[in-house]
Amino acid sequence: MPTHQDHTAPTPPRLFRAAGVQVRRYLIVDLNGQARSLTDHQLSSRRMLLSLHGGNKDWLIRHYPRMVDGKPTDDWDDLAVADAIKRQALFKTYHLSQAAHVRLRQKGLRA
């Protein structure tokens, strides 16, 4: 017998994909598949962060609420969103370099 699951709040589609970091720029592939190279200054722009999330302000408020005196407000925390994007890009860069190292060190190769 199947159990009842709450389907009222589906997981949002992936809005952007972090591609890595290169010379103080965060590489992002946006919703339309366009590659963007963003600086720290650009990631501090609320308008840029909102565009990376497809203009979905409600999603940002739900996942990154601005807290005042320990209580959430009806706004989103732009610094938390920018930090999450930077973290994803750094994570991707690290794993790309690890994958390249593994490819170089395949079975039978000697360095």
Side-chain angles (χ1 to χ4, degrees):
M1 176 171 249
T3 60
H4 176 70
Q5 296 179 355
D6 183 20
H7 293 287
T8 57
T11 304
R14 187 173 196 107
L15 302 173
F16 66 90
R17 181 175 54 88
V21 178
Q22 187 177 46
V23 190
R24 290 191 238 155
R25 291 184 170 268
Y26 299 92
L27 307 175
I28 307 293
V29 178
D30 69 6
L31 184 64
N32 300 319
Q34 178 183 1
R36 295 189 189 191
S37 176
L38 304 173
T39 63
D40 275 330
H41 180 69
Q42 290 170 318
L43 284 175
S44 67
S45 165
R46 288 176 63 89
R47 189 180 70 184
M48 176 62 72
L49 295 173
L50 191 59
S51 73
L52 286 175
H53 289 86
N56 194 344
K57 187 177 180 179
D58 294 331
W59 188 87
L60 287 168
I61 292 170
R62 184 174 41 233
H63 293 282
Y64 300 100
R66 180 179 301 270
M67 304 297 276
V68 174
D69 295 330
K71 297 177 184 174
T73 62
D74 290 335
D75 196 12
W76 49 281
D77 188 355
D78 50 339
L79 292 175
V81 176
D83 286 344
I85 292 170
K86 291 175 188 178
R87 207 170 24 254
Q88 290 175 22
L90 287 168
F91 182 80
K92 185 68 173 186
T93 300
Y94 173 76
H95 285 286
L96 284 175
S97 66
Q98 291 291 58
H101 177 73
V102 169
R103 272 185 264 130
L104 286 174
R105 302 286 183 178
Q106 292 179 12
K107 185 176 179 181
L109 293 178
R110 303 287 184 248

